[in-house]
Structures are given as C-alpha cells and as structure tokens.
Amino acid sequence: MDAFIDGLPKVELHLHIEGSLEPELMFALAQRNKVDIPFKSVEEVRAAYDFSNLQDFLDIYYQGMNVLQTEQDFYDLTWAYLQRIAAQNVLHTEIFFDPQGHTERGIKFETVLDGITRALDDGRKKLGVSSFLFMCFLRHLPEDAAFETLHQAIPYKHRILGVGLDSSEKGHPPSKFERVFAEARENGFLIVAHAGEEGPPEYVWEALDQLKVNRIDHGNRSLEDGKLVDRLVKDAMPLTVCPLSNLKLCVIKDIHEHPLKKMLALGLKATVNSDDPAYFGGYMNENFRAVTHALNLTKQELATITKNSIEASFLDKNGKADLHKKLDDYMKTAA
Ligand code: HPA
Ligand code: ZN
C-alpha cells in the first residue's frame, strides 16, 4: 500500500508555506540573517513541537517565521517545499501564505510575495508542479488589519488567486471578517476559510453563508451537525482535511479515530493535505500513509480522495481533465 501511495498522482490544497520551514532551514536562515533563535540544535527544535492545541502550535509557528527576512529566504523556503512534494508525486498544489506574520515584523509585502512567486514559477518550469497562491488573513488580528492587507494585495491580483482565513479560531468567528471577504469577492479573489478545526459548526455555517467560501479548510466539527453535513453534501463543498495536523493539535486523540472514512461514507468531498508539514510530522505521502493504515482505506477510497482534490482544485477544465486522466491511467496499472 505504501508503494501505491507513493506512486499515486496527488494534489495538495491546504498547505501553509511558513509551516514547511524545516528546522535545518530555520538554523541556516538564522545564521545567514544573524537572527537569534531560542534553540541550540535541530533535535531541540523538534522536541519543542509537542502541542496540546492550535494556540500552542501557533506560538511556535509565528516565532519560527522570524528567520524569514529576505526575498531569497522566501524563495528558499518555497523551493524546498516544491522539491519535496515533486519527489512525492504531487502534481499540483494550492498554497497559503500569511503576509501579516511578516509585515507585522517590518518585512515588505512585496519581499514575501516576490520570493514565493519566483519559486512557484521555477516549480512550474523545472519540476512540472503547477500551483496557485492564496493569502490568509490572521483572524486574531482586527478587521482593519485584514482590510489593510487586502488593499496591499489588490495590485498583485494576477499572482494571488484568492484569500483565506487562518490562525486562532476560537473567539474569532468568520463573521468578524464578513465585510473584508465581501470586498475581496468584489475584487475577484476566490474565497476559502479555516472553519470547524477547533471552532464549532456555527463557524462553518458562517463561512458558507457570510464569507461565501468556495472551499472549507478542515471542517472536522461539521460532523456534529447533521443539517450542516446535508448542506455540505448538497453543495459538494470540498473539505481540505489534514490528518497529521489533527493528530498533533489534538483535534483527535488517536489517528484511529480520524473521521476521514466517515466523511467519505457520508458523501462529503473530503481531501487529504499536510497543513504545516515541518511541524506535524509529514508531507502528503506521510499523511496518506497514516490514515490509510489507521482506517484501512482501500485503493478505491484513495482514488476517490484524489478525485475530490482534483475537482476541488481551482484548475480550469483542461487542467482538471489532464489530472483525471493521469489518475485513471495510474489506477489501471496499479490498482
Ligand atoms: N489552523 C489555523 N491556522 C493555521 C494553521 C492551522 O492549522 N496552520 C497555520 N496557521
Ligand atoms: Zn491550515
């Protein structure tokens, strides 16, 4: 089964580029930029990645970002991620970045965007990995900070396909940003939002009805509300599920309890993604392996997950057809 997973053509739809900062690169950039980090070794960094909830993780995640300073740093970060996923047979990825995590530290929006997009362009040319870029608003910050970030992004609309919502979920419902997302939609940005990771099903309803999302990131807690499940199924609304993230952030107690198989059985358009792979113990293949072994997923279920990801991507009709064909060809030889 592991070999089947390795060879499966994959699509990633939920990945925070800052969450792909491996400890080795963190050290290298700290040295290059003469930034102090509170760790003596790579082992010490990894030992610190022991989280009880989302906020525990976010505190370390924002601290890790401090080493990212120059355009080249953002290029190196993104290029390292693309090389890793190319080696895992990920053919298309739609990634997030958190501009406010950098502009708040005095790094220019353009520095961040230029480094990431230059690497994504190289990924297309040199690795054959296609990609789209999404910008997330940090929901623990006020509405006016999100508006300011949106206004910084508008001149770069051709490089940023859409906007999302991340960071501390509890106490920061989607409705807090209804007006920001309305303006983002008016400007032609696609819309996604983290909802129902730690927050209640009401936050998923708000993401659907107030933010008018094209996709829900996580969405696990939707399962607590039957009417919400019916709505998500009726709308064929994709959920970007992140198994190892759920485990590391204690959204689930044990990987055997992961709701992915149940989501598929209910007819939800669930997909598998890595979220913050440097912090949560793995990229796409590791996430697929963990859930496949724990839940006894079949090759057919893995193909369904990948089909969901292709359909849930923002590729055009031809781009999707091309990936569906690659998946069909693979299933003919490997199933
Ligand atoms: N949830 C919320 N915010 C985040 C996450 C996440 O899983 N990863 C990076 N920022
Ligand atoms: Zn996330």
Side-chain angles (χ1 to χ4, degrees):
M1 212 49 175
D2 287 356
F4 175 82
I5 289 168
D6 293 350
L8 184 69
K10 286 171 284 280
V11 169
E12 174 141 72
L13 302 175
H14 185 157
L15 177 284
H16 303 263
I17 196 62
E18 296 90 345
S20 73
L21 177 62
E22 292 286 344
E24 289 79 5
L25 185 58
M26 192 190 291
F27 269 92
L29 296 181
Q31 231 173 16
R32 184 156 99 188
N33 295 324
K34 303 187 172 41
V35 175
D36 276 337
I37 52 173
F39 304 109
K40 286 193 204 65
S41 66
V42 164
E43 292 70 35
E44 211 178 279
V45 180
R46 290 202 197 280
Y49 293 174
D50 181 21
F51 315 115
S52 318
N53 53 41
L54 175 58
Q55 194 59 50
D56 270 4
F57 155 69
L58 290 169
D59 293 343
I60 290 226
Y61 167 81
Y62 294 124
Q63 180 191 296
M65 284 184 201
N66 287 332
V67 302
L68 297 164
Q69 304 262 334
T70 67
E71 191 265 2
Q72 187 65 43
D73 298 343
F74 288 95
Y75 178 92
D76 291 347
L77 171 74
T78 309
W79 182 243
Y81 162 70
L82 290 167
Q83 282 182 300
R84 280 194 182 249
I85 63 160
Q88 293 201 344
N89 221 14
V90 176
L91 305 181
H92 176 71
T93 187
E94 300 185 358
I95 72 170
F96 299 123
F97 75 120
D98 281 333
Q100 289 161 292
H102 312 297
T103 52
E104 280 223 314
R105 302 182 286 117
I107 312 289
K108 278 174 59 185
F109 185 90
E110 286 76 10
T111 301
V112 182
L113 183 63
D114 288 352
I116 296 172
T117 46
R118 184 160 65 89
L120 294 178
D121 288 345
D122 277 354
R124 243 167 256 128
K125 282 188 272 201
K126 297 180 184 168
L127 302 171
V129 177
S130 59
S131 54
F132 292 128
L133 182 61
F134 278 67
M135 163 182 107
C136 281
F137 301 114
L138 299 185
R139 67 202 304 161
H140 67 278
L141 297 177
E143 183 197 36
D144 61 356
F147 268 122
E148 194 184 321
T149 305
L150 175 60
H151 297 153
Q152 283 175 310
I154 288 172
Y156 303 104
K157 231 256 70 233
H158 52 295
R159 289 155 71 183
I160 303 173
L161 190 64
V163 298
L165 186 64
D166 69 358
S167 194
S168 320
E169 188 179 8
K170 283 185 190 160
H172 302 286
S175 50
K176 176 176 167 185
F177 297 97
E178 183 172 7
R179 299 190 308 172
V180 179
F181 278 76
E183 188 174 317
R185 285 197 315 276
E186 280 160 23
N187 279 279
F189 289 100
L190 295 175
I191 305 294
V192 298
H194 283 53
E197 179 185 20
E198 284 190 343
E202 290 71 41
Y203 286 20
V204 180
W205 283 110
E206 286 186 12
L208 295 172
D209 292 332
Q210 296 185 39
L211 305 190
K212 304 191 192 309
V213 291
N214 303 98
R215 220 157 57 195
I216 295 281
D217 293 313
H218 294 295
N220 298 44
R221 290 195 58 192
S222 307
L223 297 181
E224 295 169 24
D225 178 344
K227 284 210 173 68
L228 177 56
V229 170
D230 292 346
R231 165 76 182 277
L232 294 167
V233 171
K234 180 170 75 64
D235 290 358
M237 178 61 61
L239 305 181
T240 63
V241 177
C242 306
L244 289 175
S245 165
N246 294 157
L247 183 64
K248 283 293 266 183
L249 300 186
C250 305
V251 167
I252 50 169
K253 285 199 197 72
D254 187 295
I255 192 73
H256 294 90
E257 288 173 19
H258 197 281
L260 178 65
K261 199 173 178 105
K262 184 169 175 202
M263 288 170 164
L264 295 173
L266 287 166
L268 290 163
K269 297 289 179 199
T271 64
V272 165
N273 309 275
S274 74
D275 207 2
D276 300 281
Y279 293 88
F280 299 152
Y283 291 75
M284 287 290 275
N285 284 354
E286 290 79 14
N287 273 275
F288 266 105
R289 283 180 190 192
V291 269
T292 300
H293 294 306
L295 308 177
N296 286 318
L297 297 182
T298 62
K299 288 180 180 175
Q300 211 44 58
E301 283 172 316
L302 297 180
T304 299
I305 291 166
T306 305
K307 272 199 200 110
N308 289 347
S309 297
I310 297 169
E311 281 310 306
S313 78
F314 294 117
L315 286 163
D316 63 13
K317 220 165 133 236
N318 290 341
K320 288 184 185 183
D322 179 46
L323 291 181
H324 279 306
K325 175 154 190 337
K326 288 192 167 116
L327 176 63
D328 289 346
D329 289 348
Y330 183 71
M331 290 305 287
K332 276 183 207 138
T333 60

